[in-house]
Amino acid sequence: MSSETEVPHMREVGYVSKKTGVRWMPVIGLEVHCQLGTRTKLFCGCEYRFGASPNSITCPKCTGQPGALPVQNREALALAVRTALALGCTVATKSKFDRKHYFYCDLPKGFQISQYDQPYCTGGGIQLSTGKFVRLTRIHMEEDAGKAIHDRGDMTLVDLNRAGVPLIESVTEADIDTAAEAVEYLTSLKEILQYCGASECDMEKGSLRCDVNISVRPAGEPWRTKVEIKNLNSFRFVSAAIEHEIVRQVDAYEMGEEIVQETRLWDANRNVTRTMRSKESAHDYRYFAEPDLPPIHISSAFLEYERKLLPELPSSRRARYESALGLSPKDARNLTAERVVADFFEAAVRLSDKPKECSNWIQNELFKMVGDPELGTERFEELQLKPFDLVSVIELVDKGSIAMSSGRTLLRAMAETGKSAKVLVAELGLAQVQDTALIERWCREALVGKDKIVADVKAGKPNAINALLGGVIKLSGGKANPQVVRETLERIIAQP
Amino acid sequence: MSAYSALDAVGLAQETARGKRSASENIEAAFDAVKALDSELNVFLNTNLESARALARVLDAAPAETRGPLHGVPIALKANMCVEGFESNCASRILAGYHAPYTATFVRRLVDAGAIPIGMTNMDEFAMGSSCENSAFGPSKNPWDETRTAGGSSSGSAVAVAAGITPIALGSDTGGSVRQPAALTGIVGFKPTYGRVSRYGLIAFGSSLDQVSPFARSVRDVELVTHLMSGTDSNDATCLDEPRMNCEICDLKGLRIGVPKEYFGGGLQHDVRARSEEALALFEQLGAVIVPVSLPHSEHAIAVYYVVATAEASSNLARFEGVRFGRRVDGDGSLQGMFAATREAGFGPEVKRRILLGTYVLSAGYYDAWYGRALKVRTLLRRDFEAAFESCDVIVGPTSPEPAFALGSKKDDPVAMYLSDVLTVPVNLAGLPAASVPCGFVDVLGRALPVGLQIIGPHRADARVLSVARAFEEATSFAAARAPRFFHGARS
Amino acid sequence: MSAAHDPKPIRQAGALVASIAKLARLAVTAEEARSIEPQFASILKQFEGLELLDLTGVEPLVSLSGADTVLRADEPEPSSSADQMLANAPERVEDFYCVPKTVGGDE
């Protein structure tokens, strides 16, 4: 099946083969690795950052020097536990680390410190918008490996900067049926982890990696051989790979071929999955409890402390914005996509009690400012604006002290300079003119030579006055209060 | 002024701190000893004279009030300890040329107290062995009889002290690797409670068994060195916060000495049993009470040890594959081929044997049968001691079933070699403190060979063990005996 | 007694040594294998005593020191420089360790 052919839309009812008319049901599970957003690595004090020069963030511990020992990062445990609570998992009072052995050039100790049979939490899951609940089997903590680079020269190069970074690996049950569900699951997972401050979940920086386990079977039949797909660097690729693989497996079965249990890589250039290695010779990881680390005991005090730090999660906030604040689902979704935005919005609402206006101003103005090269801000939290600042502007506009357009200017100036509304209104002369005498003079000036328009207004043509209005505003340099101008014009025109 | 090698470390430090001698003189004396004895006894794998001299000069210039309890004392370190400026090759070809990029916490604490490392001592490769015959650089020789082993694996460090080259030395004890050489060379060796001393910088063999352990010719030296190394280290999660040790000579009256029948069985050779019984008689004379005890699972200790230690070793040695340090051998040119060729060429036969054994007991399908089981039997071994200590204060017996054996006599029989650990491994399995002190000599073919007495204490009772050891030392004069190949000094 | 224990290995030490050597990345020569096999077998024979013990209800001894959940603060400590870490490397390209080319993926 060529890649140019349109892939049939996968509905929840599975994939109906064009060739045979058989309904095939995909069975999908996801393994997601997330880098925890700690400052330092899991077992040493190296301060990790993405993109650092090679081997500049390492030490005897994370390079596996003989005699070096691991000591666990408290914040990594805290974030892992917070994540588990956010996902509704059962956190184990006692768990442990295990050594997982294999030989590779990016694994300095020849084993990875991970968790095998006593992960720190089990259960939990994520509710999708369709009502489907995707269950989690377990989540465990482990350290990341370094990076092997194969495409520079005729040797493989090894950079151990990433070795030792804390990861959590979450494994779902095979509850997912479609590519769309997989993407929604991942989107929700990312949102939740970001909200908890546990992980950036940025696939481009490698802080979120996803492997897919997928099989298909005719509706009603038992599960068949599953295939693992790796090298999925974006949600888009996850979706494309799933859709491609479903078709590939169905086609193979319908042609009488076998599906082999194996690991396949997603080839983003050709939009296909291809064989990486066979999983038949399964790894013997020779797991045993890590003797250099004592067992992990998570007290109920620790749990309660982390539970208190849990923010209200996106889905709950969206429901609240819609029902209690009267926002549309679209607005609710936009405002909760990032926690900093949601927190900002809620603070602004608390100060102003004007949810719709806050929502509009944030979406229409603040979002535009993010990513504006002149402001140099790439993220929402980099804007030099507090909720109080936004509310000040809203109040000024609502009171008529400044025009709506001036409000936009003011907001931008506040973001650029960090100065307060009051100071900038004075500096930029944005105060709207309310002086009735002044406005009357401008009105009379604007009316000169506009007899035709005046006649239209008197004749009752509804929008005729707008042209006059515009003229007065222009004369005032945008400063006249439109409402007062309108009333003044109407009064003057009505005079005999 | 006394001869350099006539003083123990405490005495030497006092004289040096008071200015009666200089640290530089101590270093020159130590290196005179190296020159006189090292080529015959094969003590050091490498030494660093310049570094030692430089450190000595700094110490000699230090004002009196800053001088620590080990001021100007030369110390020898086992070659599995990481010290910047020294080559730590674990007596293995695979680590030839390895200069650690950091210094072990326990070494730093001793240097802060004034000690001067002079070199890295010979050992069984990766600490696997009881005779030093597994060193890639030939065994060390016993200063009491050069045709015999000095024990192992911390052989060179034991000889450095027994031959008068340095008053103190560090070894590591995983299954007896300091106590047994101490017994075979007639000096004091002490293994602390597991977790007393940080293992950061000790190249790991058996992670749940290893402890840094000092050698000296006096108990007070061993006590001081242990005390200086003790205490929590943010680099070691298994390190306990053990308090300072104040080991007064204890009054033995009423002290209950447990004597396990399993330690006095048929395996004891020559007159080892006689020396041990004489020691027990002396304890009784001094007021102690002998209490028969039993450690019923002792017969399984060797098996448990060799399952657990080899499993951990196979894991700890997985990092030696030619990527980041050590000697690389290319093999067939593939990555995995390079790993296999590097490890094949770099490891000696005993290390390979243990890696294979350890890999086997952890492999899929065998974990429950071997490793899983061994961990449970380990619990039983620990419980044996806990039960015994309900009726006694310390447990005493011979350290080694035999005195120093001839080099080459056990070469082709690894199992025979493993059995020489039978009296020492249970202590590591239970994580307990234990000392070996000289308790006399046996005559073998006309040569007098030292015998050691092992004193074992309950968990964390390090001070008690050393107090009893001190009392025994005080009541006897075995510590004063000097080996035929002892350095009395070119100058004092 | 565990059902996983299989007495076969003691008799088939040869094939066993070869497969274990592969797992452990030890290119054991045929000659070495021949000398290791009987030693292996005799060592394992020593362990037979372990099988006979009744271990019902006995917990494995995993943590020797008895320390409980040792954690450190998430505070940075200075990293070593690339030169320091690469000083012992058998082969190096700029600031990378380098190894024979591999297509990717472990084992």
Side-chain angles (χ1 to χ4, degrees):
Chain A
M1 185 166 179
S2 82
S3 54
E4 287 89 35
T5 312
E6 192 186 4
V7 176
H9 176 64
M10 310 291 171
R11 293 163 302 164
E12 283 167 311
V13 288
Y15 168 61
V16 178
S17 161
K18 281 213 275 256
K19 201 162 100 178
T20 62
V22 170
R23 186 181 304 281
W24 292 84
M25 307 302 290
V27 178
I28 302 165
L30 299 179
E31 268 174 38
V32 183
H33 288 85
C34 301
Q35 277 180 2
L36 293 177
T38 55
R39 284 183 75 185
T40 63
K41 296 184 177 182
L42 183 50
F43 296 117
C44 69
C46 287
E47 188 172 15
Y48 177 73
R49 62 193 185 287
F50 180 78
S53 62
N55 289 302
S56 62
I57 317 176
T58 67
C59 73
K61 298 175 195 195
C62 53
T63 56
Q65 300 294 318
L69 298 170
V71 183
Q72 189 183 2
N73 181 338
R74 159 176 276 279
E75 182 67 2
L77 182 62
L79 293 180
V81 167
R82 207 178 304 164
T83 302
L85 292 172
L87 293 169
C89 309
T90 305
V91 177
T93 327
K94 268 216 141 50
S95 63
K96 63 175 168 69
F97 283 107
D98 298 291
R99 293 187 181 181
K100 176 181 182 181
H101 301 83
Y102 61 93
F103 285 91
Y104 195 55
C105 55
D106 69 1
L107 194 68
K109 298 189 288 291
F111 58 84
Q112 176 195 34
I113 300 179
S114 176
Q115 295 188 291
Y116 177 51
D117 57 335
Q118 285 182 36
Y120 81 97
C121 74
T122 52
I126 294 182
Q127 183 92 34
L128 302 183
S129 60
T130 55
K132 158 90 64 84
F133 185 76
V134 178
R135 296 166 299 166
L136 275 168
T137 315
R138 55 180 269 160
I139 312 180
H140 70 257
M141 291 181 283
E142 60 183 28
E143 54 176 352
D144 210 345
K147 262 217 186 85
I149 298 157
H150 308 293
D151 53 6
R152 282 181 54 169
D154 55 2
M155 299 283 274
T156 286
L157 303 180
V158 180
D159 173 12
L160 295 179
N161 280 348
R162 200 184 63 181
V165 167
L167 298 177
I168 43 171
E169 177 179 331
S170 59
V171 182
T172 71
E173 300 282 348
D175 287 345
I176 294 172
D177 296 332
T178 67
E181 284 187 349
V183 172
E184 189 185 338
Y185 173 85
L186 289 170
T187 308
S188 295
L189 181 68
K190 173 174 169 159
E191 248 177 26
I192 291 171
L193 261 58
Q194 284 177 342
Y195 265 63
C196 292
S199 174
E200 289 275 295
C201 289
D202 184 341
M203 278 182 111
E204 271 172 38
K205 292 195 180 150
S207 55
L208 187 150
R209 289 165 236 162
C210 176
D211 298 336
V212 173
N213 286 301
I214 176 170
S215 67
V216 297
R217 84 268 200 254
E221 286 192 21
W223 288 1
R224 298 188 179 194
T225 310
K226 68 179 176 189
V227 165
E228 184 186 26
I229 308 176
K230 286 173 117 65
N231 197 38
L232 299 164
N233 297 330
S234 70
F235 291 175
R236 196 164 51 87
F237 289 166
V238 169
S239 178
I242 288 174
E243 302 207 324
H244 164 87
E245 183 65 13
I246 290 171
V247 173
R248 186 190 78 88
Q249 291 192 15
V250 167
D251 283 355
Y253 282 127
E254 293 189 339
M255 293 213 283
E257 287 165 15
E258 276 300 301
I259 289 292
V260 160
Q261 185 182 21
E262 59 167 343
T263 300
R264 296 176 75 84
L265 293 179
W266 173 247
D267 182 335
N269 293 324
R270 290 158 48 218
N271 287 330
V272 294
T273 62
R274 51 183 177 75
T275 302
M276 174 181 161
R277 61 168 183 252
S278 172
K279 246 194 168 173
E280 279 160 317
S281 54
H283 295 197
D284 182 355
Y285 293 119
R286 305 184 292 292
Y287 290 100
F288 72 99
E290 170 58 79
D292 293 331
L293 293 169
I296 307 159
H297 175 69
I298 296 172
S299 66
S300 43
F302 192 98
L303 264 185
E304 281 324 298
Y305 184 84
E306 289 306 317
R307 203 186 295 279
K308 289 206 180 73
L309 291 175
L310 275 183
E312 187 189 4
L313 294 179
S315 51
S316 160
R317 296 195 198 206
R318 282 194 282 269
R320 192 161 53 76
Y321 294 179
E322 288 175 42
S323 62
L325 301 180
L327 294 189
S328 70
K330 180 155 177 276
D331 286 340
R333 188 163 295 279
N334 287 342
L335 291 169
T336 55
E338 281 179 66
R339 183 183 166 181
V340 281
V341 176
D343 287 347
F344 187 102
F345 167 70
E346 288 172 25
V349 169
R350 274 195 298 276
L351 287 170
S352 66
D353 206 15
K354 295 176 177 175
K356 286 225 171 64
E357 295 193 47
C358 292
S359 165
N360 291 339
W361 278 88
I362 289 174
Q363 293 186 68
N364 298 334
E365 299 308 320
L366 296 192
F367 282 178
K368 261 205 287 276
M369 291 189 219
V370 176
D372 184 329
E374 277 178 28
L375 282 174
T377 48
E378 283 173 23
R379 298 150 59 118
F380 188 87
E381 53 268 43
E382 288 171 22
L383 291 175
Q384 285 196 77
L385 287 171
K386 301 259 181 309
F388 175 77
D389 297 328
L390 175 63
V391 170
S392 309
V393 172
I394 292 176
E395 297 295 346
L396 286 171
V397 171
D398 283 356
K399 271 204 311 244
S401 307
I402 59 175
M404 171 81 83
S405 55
S406 299
R408 291 192 201 106
T409 311
L410 176 59
L411 207 50
R412 202 193 161 77
M414 289 165 82
E416 267 174 14
T417 65
K419 294 184 186 171
S420 74
K422 192 160 171 217
V423 165
L424 284 167
V425 165
E427 263 183 36
L428 301 175
L430 294 175
Q432 210 162 224
V433 175
Q434 318 246 55
D435 182 342
T436 47
L438 191 46
I439 288 177
E440 174 132 1
R441 207 181 67 214
W442 283 330
C443 286
R444 292 196 183 279
E445 210 180 305
L447 281 168
V448 169
K450 300 285 192 308
D451 299 334
K452 174 154 193 317
I453 300 177
V454 170
D456 283 343
V457 173
K458 282 191 173 162
K461 289 219 177 115
N463 291 325
I465 202 166
N466 290 344
L468 294 170
L469 194 65
V472 177
I473 301 291
K474 204 154 153 215
L475 275 175
S476 76
K479 300 258 183 57
N481 183 324
Q483 192 53 34
V484 175
V485 169
R486 181 185 288 271
E487 285 163 10
T488 309
L489 282 171
E490 283 170 354
R491 182 172 45 80
I492 295 173
I493 289 170
Q495 281 166 0
Chain B
M1 188 171 74
S2 321
Y4 160 77
S5 54
L7 295 164
D8 70 352
V10 170
L12 190 67
Q14 281 170 359
E15 286 205 358
T16 315
R18 289 185 200 141
K20 288 168 73 178
R21 56 197 309 133
S22 68
S24 304
E25 283 171 309
N26 295 343
I27 290 304
E28 294 312 312
F31 277 92
D32 283 345
V34 170
K35 222 184 326 186
L37 295 170
D38 193 27
S39 55
E40 290 161 52
L41 300 180
N42 203 14
V43 177
F44 287 93
L45 294 176
N46 56 78
T47 55
N48 193 334
L49 181 54
E50 298 77 53
S51 149
R53 279 182 174 154
L55 193 44
R57 280 194 292 272
V58 169
L59 288 167
D60 282 334
E65 62 273 15
T66 66
R67 297 181 169 197
L70 282 179
H71 185 79
V73 176
I75 186 171
L77 303 174
K78 188 175 182 180
N80 62 357
M81 299 179 174
C82 293
V83 184
E84 288 171 81
F86 286 82
E87 178 180 331
S88 309
N89 60 34
C90 299
S92 177
R93 280 187 231 292
I94 210 169
L95 268 187
Y98 178 68
H99 287 80
Y102 70 107
T103 296
T105 302
F106 58 84
V107 172
R108 193 137 15 89
R109 289 177 177 174
L110 296 181
V111 170
D112 285 349
I116 306 173
I118 68 163
M120 293 286 169
T121 59
N122 200 4
M123 52 185 282
D124 281 293
E125 186 181 358
F126 284 109
M128 300 183 190
S130 313
S131 67
C132 209
E133 291 168 291
N134 294 324
S135 167
F137 306 104
S140 299
K141 314 285 175 56
N142 195 319
W144 293 87
D145 178 342
E146 287 146 74
T147 66
R148 296 177 180 270
T149 176
S153 60
S154 309
S155 335
S157 283
V159 178
V161 170
I165 302 176
T166 59
I168 50 176
L170 290 185
S172 64
D173 191 312
T174 306
S177 292
V178 161
R179 287 163 287 149
Q180 183 247 28
L184 270 47
T185 57
I187 59 176
V188 181
F190 174 61
K191 185 201 87 68
T193 295
Y194 181 87
R196 170 176 273 280
V197 178
S198 161
R199 290 179 296 118
Y200 183 67
L202 176 70
I203 298 179
F205 156 21
S207 310
S208 72
L209 300 155
D210 295 340
Q211 269 294 275
V212 175
S213 304
F215 290 105
R217 293 190 296 275
S218 68
V219 176
R220 68 177 186 171
D221 276 2
V222 138
E223 172 198 323
L224 175 62
V225 172
T226 306
H227 155 72
L228 290 169
M229 295 190 297
S230 300
T232 47
D233 178 15
S234 57
N235 293 307
D236 180 351
T238 60
C239 188
L240 303 167
D241 193 8
E242 278 300 303
R244 316 176 74 120
M245 293 197 303
N246 212 336
C247 309
E248 303 298 322
I249 297 178
C250 75
D251 182 1
L252 294 175
K253 279 207 196 40
L255 183 81
R256 299 169 302 162
I257 295 186
V259 177
K261 61 179 196 248
E262 294 84 3
Y263 288 5
F264 284 83
L268 299 183
Q269 297 189 29
H270 300 285
D271 285 328
V272 167
R273 176 195 304 275
R275 297 295 91 81
S276 311
E277 286 172 346
E278 286 153 19
L280 290 171
L282 177 58
F283 275 122
E284 270 187 306
Q285 265 182 283
L286 295 168
V289 174
I290 305 297
V291 177
V293 296
S294 174
L295 300 168
H297 295 94
S298 295
E299 60 176 304
H300 301 294
I302 288 282
V304 172
Y305 175 77
Y306 278 95
V307 170
V308 172
T310 58
E312 292 178 357
S314 71
S315 173
N316 288 324
L317 269 58
R319 68 193 66 204
F320 300 109
E321 16 78 311
V323 176
R324 289 144 295 114
F325 39 75
R327 249 190 43 176
R328 176 189 291 188
V329 175
D330 291 325
D332 66 6
S334 71
L335 178 68
Q336 301 293 336
M338 181 272 274
F339 290 164
T342 294
R343 292 160 66 78
E344 162 67 13
F347 290 135
E350 180 61 30
V351 171
K352 280 187 196 147
R353 222 177 345 252
R354 296 200 194 191
I355 291 177
L356 289 174
L357 198 50
T359 305
Y360 169 62
V361 304
L362 289 175
S363 62
Y366 296 104
Y367 177 97
D368 288 329
W370 297 119
Y371 187 76
R373 253 182 122 65
L375 288 186
K376 293 183 180 179
V377 182
R378 189 174 184 176
T379 297
L380 295 181
L381 286 164
R382 184 184 239 191
R383 283 190 200 163
D384 276 2
F385 279 105
E386 285 165 0
F389 281 123
E390 281 175 18
S391 56
C392 66
D393 302 311
V394 291
I395 287 173
V396 165
T399 306
S400 164
E402 59 183 327
F405 46 90
L407 290 165
S409 61
K410 298 187 205 255
K411 208 152 75 90
D412 296 316
D413 189 356
V415 176
M417 190 70 84
Y418 297 165
L419 289 175
S420 44
D421 296 335
V422 68
L423 299 171
T424 47
V425 307
V427 169
N428 301 78
L429 289 170
L432 303 177
S436 177
V437 290
C439 70
F441 295 86
V442 295
D443 182 297
V444 179
L445 303 175
R447 302 294 284 255
L449 299 176
V451 173
L453 188 73
Q454 179 171 232
I455 303 165
I456 307 169
H459 196 242
R460 299 199 188 205
D462 302 60
R464 184 192 304 174
V465 168
L466 290 174
S467 296
V468 173
R470 279 260 234 162
F472 184 78
E473 176 189 62
E474 194 70 12
T476 60
S477 52
F478 303 123
R482 293 286 177 256
R485 305 301 280 134
F486 183 88
F487 182 73
H488 292 280
R491 48 186 151 157
S492 43
Chain C
M1 187 118 97
S2 167
H5 179 66
D6 185 344
K8 277 197 299 195
I10 294 178
R11 292 195 288 277
Q12 296 178 356
L16 185 68
V17 168
S19 71
I20 300 292
K22 186 152 182 284
L23 259 187
R25 295 298 183 275
L26 283 177
V28 166
T29 63
E31 200 185 308
E32 276 176 321
R34 269 195 292 280
S35 84
I36 289 177
E37 287 157 30
Q39 291 167 346
F40 217 71
S42 106
I43 293 168
L44 292 179
K45 195 135 180 56
Q46 297 293 314
F47 297 171
E48 277 176 345
L50 293 179
E51 293 174 53
L52 305 170
L53 291 167
D54 178 11
L55 298 176
T56 345
V58 181
E59 286 303 305
L61 183 52
V62 174
S63 176
L64 244 296
S65 63
D68 191 34
T69 317
V70 174
L71 298 169
R72 67 177 168 84
D74 189 22
E75 290 300 324
E77 276 160 50
S79 295
S80 311
S81 69
D83 279 335
Q84 257 181 302
M85 283 294 121
L86 289 163
N88 283 300
E91 271 193 67
R92 156 183 193 173
V93 167
E94 297 161 22
D95 285 338
F96 294 94
Y97 303 92
C98 78
V99 295
K101 193 75 162 281
T102 174
V103 292
D106 47 319
E107 304 240 10

